[in-house]
Every structure is written in structure tokens, then in C-alpha cells.
């Protein structure tokens, strides 16, 4: 067992402190621009910016540019001129990939047995998307969205298309103007979150650590159901709580009340603040929302599933705050090495 340093404990308390006061306004364009010097180099530290994103979030007018840094689309060390060059390169590379795809598409249709099935799945998923706002204005271009998803599937050998990717790419398309930006932001996002959302082994690792976290922080909840021959930790790792998979597969996007809430959580996950693998602390906080109901009603696996699936229309700030409190609690304890290695 390892006790974390006082410095880390202080950092955790600071990261959780914004739940105790009214959150400051999000970082707006004027403030964001002040983070850079006249050549476009960062005048503030990356850590300073990421902590502010955790505690305050980003104004919509800033989000597009900030996400290019958070995902790795742009280097934090780059100048304005260098970023213009990088963007031009990414545009050209995207165009080259599109041309390559057009050339090999007939081969894929004839030789790749999964290609047609995946293409049909993508088309079917996209048709289900509601593409209009409450006033009837069209939000997205479904044809462009389909093209980006197909290209991503062909180019990305590690992250095969999964149901829900169409919703993720839609959010990127809503954020940026050009297709090459949508494509590359999605690719970088997948890379940044590969251990938490895309690769199945990463999802399993998250569920495993969630089980360990529950057992460590809330043993009463963790041992619920022992009389029936099951433990919550076993349920999580078994088939009964497979509905937790979407929490990690799609970065909780279906649990929130608005697109802004989804972006708010995602940008926090991209900062790496207040710790690595913060998504597991978010999932733990969500399970705590159903804890009393589970214990009072002595719920079994299927009922726990149903309760978890009802966690919708959540407020991102409240959930981030709750997860920060869990982190503050975690690092003030004698932490098992497995948890220390995963979160720090």
C-alpha cells in the first residue's frame, strides 16, 4: 500500500475545490488569446491552461482551437505560422486519403468481406441520426459524415467501426468547419482515448479498475448481493453489467442533457487533469448515483443495469465535480499499487 505525497493531496483538494464556489466563467476568446505571445507561442504553461479547462471549461468560440491543442492536432510548442503549415498539411493528407479510398473501394467491395457490412451499418446508423435543431434547421451533412466514417474505418486498423461512432463524429462536425478538421480531430481523439473507449481491451481494463475502486472506496456497495452468491465487482466484470461498456466506449456521450455537456467532459478527459484515466472516477461517481437505490431495494444484476441505463440528462459540471471529490478522497488514503499505477 502506498500513501501519496502531501503535494498530490493538496492538488486534489484544489481540483475539487471548484465545487464549493460558483464556477468562474468559461475561458473566452479574449482570455484564450492572452495565453499566447505575438508569434503565437504559448505564454502560459500547458499545465496552467489544462487546470483552467478542468475548473472552468471553454467558451464555444474557443473550443475549436483549444481542442486542436488538446488532441495533438497542433503542438503546444508551435507558433502561429507553424500551425498554419500543419493545418495545410492535414488538409492535403486528408485529400490524398480520399483519393486513395476512391481507388481501392472496388477492391474492398470484392475482397474485404467486412467492408460492405460495415458500410451498410454506417449508412443505417447515420440515417437514424436526427439532424435538425428544435427550429428545424439542418445541423449536419449526413453524406459528409458517412464519407468521414468510411475513411476512418479503412484507415484505422486498431479501432474498427463501432455503433456510436457516428454520434461522436457528428459532434466533431458540429464543432469545426472543414471535413479534414473533423476527420483528424476524430482520429486524434481515438488515439488519446484508446485505453478508455475504443479498443475492447481498454474497456475491459477500465471496468476492472472500476471494480477495484469500488472494492477499495465503498466495500459495502462492492459486496452487495453476496447473499445471492454474487458481488457487484463480479457483476461489473461479468455479463450482467455490460451496459457499462457504452460509458467507456463512447465517453459517456449518451448520459448528458446537451452537446455542450458532452464537450465539457471530453475536454476535461483530454487535459489529463486532475489525473490519468479520470473517466473511471466519472463512472464511479455515476454508480454512486444509484447506490442507495441498489442497497435499499436489494437490486440484482438486471435491476442494477436498468438503474444505470436511466442515468441520463446529467450535468457535466456536477459530474466532474463529484469525480474530483472522489479523486481527493482517493489520494488521501493508503492506495493499492494497482490504483496508484492506473491513476497517477
Amino acid at each position: 500500500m502506498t500513501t501519496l505525497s502531501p503535494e498530490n493531496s493538496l492538488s486534489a483538494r484544489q481540483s475539487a475545490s471548484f465545487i464549493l464556489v460558483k464556477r468562474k466563467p468559461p475561458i473566452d476568446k479574449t482570455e484564450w488569446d492572452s495565453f499566447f505571445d505575438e508569434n503565437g507561442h504559448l505564454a502560459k504553461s500547458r499545465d496552467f491552461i489544462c487546470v483552467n479547462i478542468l475548473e472552468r471549461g471553454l467558451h464555444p468560440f474557443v473550443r475549436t482551437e483549444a481542442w486542436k491543442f488538446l488532441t495533438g492536432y497542433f503542438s503546444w510548442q508551435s507558433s502561429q505560422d507553424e500551425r498554419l503549415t500543419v493545418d495545410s498539411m492535414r488538409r492535403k493528407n486528408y485529400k490524398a486519403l480520399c483519393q486513395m479510398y476512391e481507388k481501392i473501394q472496388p477492391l474492398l467491395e470484392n475482397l474485404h468481406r467486412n467492408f460492405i457490412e460495415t458500410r451498410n451499418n454506417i449508412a443505417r446508423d447515420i440515417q437514424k441520426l436526427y439532424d435538425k435543431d428544435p427550429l428545424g434547421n439542418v445541423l449536419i451533412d449526413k453524406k459528409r459524415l458517412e464519407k468521414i466514417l468510411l475513411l476512418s474505418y479503412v484507415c484505422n486498423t486498431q479501432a474498427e467501426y463501432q455503433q456510436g461512432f457516428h454520434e461522436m463524429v457528428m459532434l466533431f462536425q458540429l464543432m469545426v468547419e472543414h471535413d479534414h478538421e473533423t476527420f483528424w480531430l476524430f482520429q486524434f481523439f481515438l488515439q488519446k482515448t484508446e485505453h478508455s473507449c475504443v479498443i475492447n481491451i481498454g474497456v475491459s481494463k477500465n471496468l476492472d479498475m472500476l471494480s477495484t475502486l469500488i472494492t477499495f472506496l465503498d466495500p459495502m456497495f462492492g459486496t452487495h448481493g453476496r447473499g445471492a452468491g454474487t458481488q457487484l465487482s463480479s457483476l461489473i466484470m461479468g455479463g450482467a453489467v455490460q451496459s457499462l461498456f457504452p460509458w467507456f466506449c463512447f465517453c459517456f456521450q449518451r448520459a448528458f442533457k446537451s452537446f455542450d455537456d458532452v464537450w465539457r467532459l471530453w475536454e476535461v478527459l483530454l487535459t489529463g487533469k486532475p489525473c490519468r484515466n479520470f473517466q473511471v472516477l466519472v463512472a464511479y461517481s455515476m454508480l454512486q448515483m444509484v447506490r442507495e437505490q441498489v442497497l435499499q431495494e436489494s437490486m440484482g444484476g438486471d435491476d442494477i443495469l436498468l438503474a444505470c441505463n436511466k442515468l441520463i440528462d446529467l450535468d457535466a459540471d456536477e459530474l466532474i465535480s463529484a469525480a474530483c471529490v472522489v479523486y481527493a478522497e482517493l489520494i488521501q488514503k493508503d492506495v493499492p499499487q494497482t490504483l496508484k499505477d492506473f491513476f497517477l
Side-chain angles (χ1 to χ4, degrees), residues 277-288:
N277 296 305
F278 186 60
Q279 71 280 347
V280 174
L281 301 185
V282 171
Y284 177 87
S285 300
M286 292 172 72
L287 279 174
Q288 289 293 300

Side-chain angles (χ1 to χ4, degrees), residues 20 22 28 42 44 97 99 123 133 231 269 302 310:
L20 303 177
K22 182 176 176 61
D28 62 18
L42 272 182
K44 296 286 188 179
L97 288 174
Q99 292 171 344
D133 67 14
Q231 291 185 328
L269 298 182
D302 290 341
K310 288 181 178 179

Side-chain angles (χ1 to χ4, degrees), residues 191-306:
Q191 292 174 21
K192 282 278 187 177
T193 57
E194 66 177 344
H195 297 300
S196 60
C197 74
V198 180
I199 312 302
N200 281 339
I201 190 173
V203 175
S204 297
K205 178 67 173 178
N206 278 261
L207 290 171
D208 189 15
M209 296 312 299
L210 177 59
S211 172
T212 302
L213 188 65
I214 293 169
T215 300
F216 177 66
L217 288 181
D218 194 352
M220 179 182 294
F221 193 32
T223 57
H224 167 72
R226 178 176 290 169
T230 58
Q231 291 185 328
L232 184 61
S233 58
S234 299
L235 291 172
I236 289 174
M237 290 308 298
V241 190
Q242 292 304 306
S243 67
L244 296 186
F245 260 72
W247 288 5
F248 296 116
C249 286
F250 310 124
C251 293
F252 309 90
Q253 72 184 91
R254 297 175 184 176
F256 292 108
K257 60 185 178 182
S258 72
F259 293 155
D260 281 330
D261 285 279
V262 179
W263 285 319
R264 170 77 174 111
L265 177 64
W266 285 4
E267 62 204 19
V268 168
L269 298 182
L270 288 170
T271 66
K273 301 293 182 182
C275 64
R276 296 168 51 228
N277 296 305
F278 186 60
Q279 71 280 347
V280 174
L281 301 185
V282 171
Y284 177 87
S285 300
M286 292 172 72
L287 279 174
Q288 289 293 300
M289 295 178 186
V290 301
R291 179 187 189 276
E292 293 305 315
Q293 181 184 4
V294 168
L295 294 178
Q296 289 177 6
E297 300 179 17
S298 298
M299 286 184 174
D302 290 341
D303 291 332
I304 294 173
L305 281 180
L306 185 60

Side-chain angles (χ1 to χ4, degrees), residues 152-160:
S152 178
Y153 167 68
V154 171
C155 295
N156 197 331
T157 57
Q158 284 190 308
E160 293 187 359

